Amino acid sequence: MNKSYLIAAALALAVTLWMVAGHFTGTPRQEEAVEAESSQAPEPMTVEVRIQQAKRIPRYIVAQGQSEPNRVVTVRAETVGRIAEVVAQEARPVKAGDVLVRIEQNDREARLKQAQALVRERERAYEGANRLGEKGYQSQRLLDEAFSELQSARAELEEIRLEIANTTIRAPFDGILEQRRVELGDYVAVNGEVATIVDNDPLIVSAQIAQQDIGKIALGDVAAVTFATGQSGEGRVRLIAPRAEASTRTFRVELEVPNPESRIFSGTSAEARLPTGTVLAHFLSPAMLTLNDAGELGVKTVTETDTVAFHPVSVVLSESNGLWVAGLPDEARIITVGQGFVREGEPVSVFLADESRVVPEGSVGAALLSHTTLNASEATR
C-alpha cells in the first residue's frame, strides 16, 4: 500500500516538472516569433504640415500714449473794467485776431483827447523854443526841457492808446475757444482770466519708449497712429527727450499729427506704430505656438528627413487673425496639426495641409485627425 502511494507521488511530480519546463522553454519557432515581434519598430505619428515661405515685413515699436493740443493758452485781461460785449462762443473755432470780448471804455476816450491836446501844445512849445535857440535867444537848457516835456506827453498819449486797444481782447492764434471765463457785465482786473484757447492742429501724440528701444527712433520718423475714437493718421517724430524718466526708465517721444479742422480731439488715448526696419517673418495661427522643455516659445517643423525640429521664435507683429513670428527658416515645413503629440527629434509621417483649411491645434479638427492617425497606426500593426 505504501509502495503505491510513492509511485503515484513520483508520477505527479514528473508531470508537474514537464508542464513547467514547457511553459518556460518554447519551441524554436515560438522563440523566433517572439523575437521578431519585439524587434518590430512602432509606426511613426502622422502630422499635417504646411510648406511656407517667409515674407519681409516692417518691424514696429508699438507704444501707447495720448493726444495733446499743440498749444493751450489762457487769455488774460491787460486792463481793468467791466465786460461790455461778449463776441466769441465756447467750443467754436476762432482765428488769430478775432475779438473775444470788449471792456467798457469809461473815461478812456476823454483821456485820449486830453493826451492828444497836450502833445500838440508841447509840440508848439518845443518848435518855438527851437527857433529862439537858433537865433541865440534861448538857452540849451530850456530847449532840452521843452523837448523832454514833449516826449513825456507823447508817452502819455501812447499809454492811453494802448489801454484803449487792450479793452478789446483778441485771440492770439487759430484754435478753438475751449472755455470763456467771463460773462456780460463781469468786472475784470489786470491779469484776470478771460478765456482758454486750444490749438489742435497739429495734434501732438506723446508716448513713453523703453530705454532698449529709444536708439531705434530718430527725429522725422513717420509713424501710423490710431486713436481710441477709431480715427487714424500719420505722425512725424518732433521730439525725443534727452533724458529718461527716473522712475520708469522710459523716454518721452512726441509726434505731430496733421489735424485739419480739428476733427480729432485732444486728450484721447492713442497707439503709435514706429517703424524700426524690416524682418523676415512667417504668418501663422497662435495655436501653432508651443513650449519646449526649457520653457521657450517656439514652433515645431519637420526636417527633410521627416523628423521633428523645434525653433524658438519671437513675435514681430500681432494682428487680429494671427501673428508674424521671426526665427523660422526662410522656407519651413510647419506642423499645423499634431504638434502637441510629437517631440523634437521624433520621426513622423507627413501629409500636406489643404491651404484652404488650416486646422489649429486643439480644435475639433485636430482631435479628429489624431483619432484617425491612431486608428491607422493600429491597423498597420
Side-chain angles (χ1 to χ4, degrees), residues 13 30 53 69 96 121 148 168 253 278 305 325 350 357 375:
L13 179 63
Q30 289 176 328
Q53 290 284 343
E121 178 185 339
S148 177
T168 301
V253 172
T278 60
T305 58
V325 300
V350 174
R357 179 192 60 84
N375 289 342

Side-chain angles (χ1 to χ4, degrees), residues 138-213:
Q138 186 73 278
S139 65
Q140 185 63 41
R141 182 180 65 82
L142 294 176
L143 183 60
D144 291 341
E145 287 179 358
F147 180 74
S148 177
E149 290 174 352
L150 173 60
Q151 292 298 95
S152 177
R154 286 173 174 173
E156 290 179 7
L157 176 60
E158 188 61 31
E159 182 179 348
I160 187 59
R161 283 175 173 167
L162 181 60
E163 187 175 341
I164 291 174
N166 287 338
T167 60
T168 301
I169 301 177
R170 302 178 183 273
F173 50 74
D174 294 356
I176 297 174
L177 181 61
E178 181 184 47
Q179 185 177 12
R180 194 185 64 244
R181 302 178 184 274
V182 295
E183 293 293 345
L184 185 66
D186 282 346
Y187 183 87
V188 291
V190 176
N191 206 37
E193 295 183 359
V194 174
T196 301
I197 295 177
V198 175
D199 176 15
N200 281 341
D201 185 25
L203 202 63
I204 305 304
V205 173
S206 64
Q208 298 293 328
I209 304 298
Q211 56 186 351
Q212 62 268 24
D213 293 328

Side-chain angles (χ1 to χ4, degrees), residues 206-226:
S206 64
Q208 298 293 328
I209 304 298
Q211 56 186 351
Q212 62 268 24
D213 293 328
I214 195 63
K216 303 172 185 176
I217 301 172
L219 292 174
D221 285 352
V222 177
V225 181
T226 304

Side-chain angles (χ1 to χ4, degrees), residues 77-123:
E78 297 182 78
T79 187
V80 300
R82 199 172 303 279
I83 301 298
E85 183 183 4
V86 174
V87 179
Q89 301 299 316
E90 289 184 341
R92 299 290 180 85
V94 292
K95 295 291 185 180
D98 282 356
V99 177
L100 304 179
V101 298
R102 288 189 174 93
I103 298 174
E104 288 181 347
Q105 294 292 325
N106 296 328
D107 64 342
R108 292 183 177 91
E109 287 293 337
R111 289 163 51 198
L112 174 63
K113 292 177 180 179
Q114 183 179 6
Q116 290 172 337
L118 182 60
V119 167
R120 287 194 295 269
E121 178 185 339
R122 297 290 170 81
E123 284 177 343

Side-chain angles (χ1 to χ4, degrees), residues 223-235:
V225 181
T226 304
F227 298 90
T229 56
Q231 298 161 296
S232 61
E234 283 192 346

